[in-house]
Amino acid sequence: MVNKISHIGIAVHSIDEAMKFYQKLGLELEATEIVESQKVKVAFLPVGEVRIELLEATSEHSTIAKFIAKKGEGIHHIAFSTDNIRDRLKEIEEKGIRLIDKLPRLGAHGANIGFLHPKFTHGVLVELCEENDN
Ligand code: ZN
């Protein structure tokens, strides 16, 4: 159903500030992107097949701003790669897991994404991600 970890989403106050740390680990910035629908700026840092996805709020109404206000900076979500995300979300719901996104929506990198409800995933916000390989 899921075949690998796509990325780990980390909420930060400032991508520029956080990059100072990640550069010390030897990681490089691949790209940044604004995702208007989620009011976030996203930065991707490849690590092998996985990416670190830094998330910076572009508005106080962003879920990332609310997350940081409540919990501080830190791991926000884990994203698993999958194919046919529309069918996968439906199957997961049929298995009794509540979804935040019943239908996939557009995320960064042109990926189709859907979040599962953390009450049903032992406290981890899980994203399914159907990557667009272009
Ligand atoms: Zn993500």
Side-chain angles (χ1 to χ4, degrees):
M1 178 171 251
V2 302
N3 46 39
K4 65 170 186 171
I5 290 179
S6 161
H7 60 268
I8 298 170
I10 299 176
V12 297
H13 287 297
S14 157
I15 286 172
D16 288 346
E17 283 301 312
M19 274 312 298
K20 292 178 189 169
F21 163 68
Y22 287 101
Q23 276 164 348
K24 286 175 187 162
L25 294 183
L27 301 189
E28 286 175 13
L29 187 62
E30 178 185 53
T32 60
E33 185 179 334
I34 304 278
V35 182
E36 284 300 343
S37 60
Q38 291 173 70
K39 301 184 180 73
V40 288
K41 183 177 172 190
V42 182
F44 294 101
L45 290 60
V47 193
E49 278 199 24
V50 178
R51 286 186 177 90
I52 299 292
E53 181 187 79
L54 300 179
L55 301 156
E56 176 188 319
T58 58
S59 153
E60 66 190 64
H61 303 296
S62 165
T63 57
I64 294 303
K66 289 173 192 160
F67 176 89
I68 289 178
K70 207 167 151 190
K71 297 184 174 172
E73 292 183 305
I75 293 181
H76 178 260
H77 66 272
I78 295 184
F80 294 97
S81 289
T82 188
D83 298 322
N84 303 319
I85 188 169
R86 197 173 284 265
D87 294 344
R88 293 294 92 77
L89 287 171
K90 204 165 166 235
E91 286 166 22
I92 287 169
E93 189 173 39
E94 283 164 5
K95 289 178 182 174
I97 296 164
R98 201 199 301 165
L99 306 178
I100 293 176
D101 299 302
K102 284 185 182 256
L103 293 171
R105 56 182 153 122
L106 196 61
H109 254 34
N112 289 312
I113 64 168
F115 285 98
L116 315 187
H117 198 291
K119 281 224 168 85
F120 291 71
T121 60
H122 301 268
V124 176
L125 180 58
V126 171
E127 173 189 328
L128 295 191
C129 178
E130 182 179 19
E131 281 159 54
N132 176 351
D133 289 326
N134 298 320

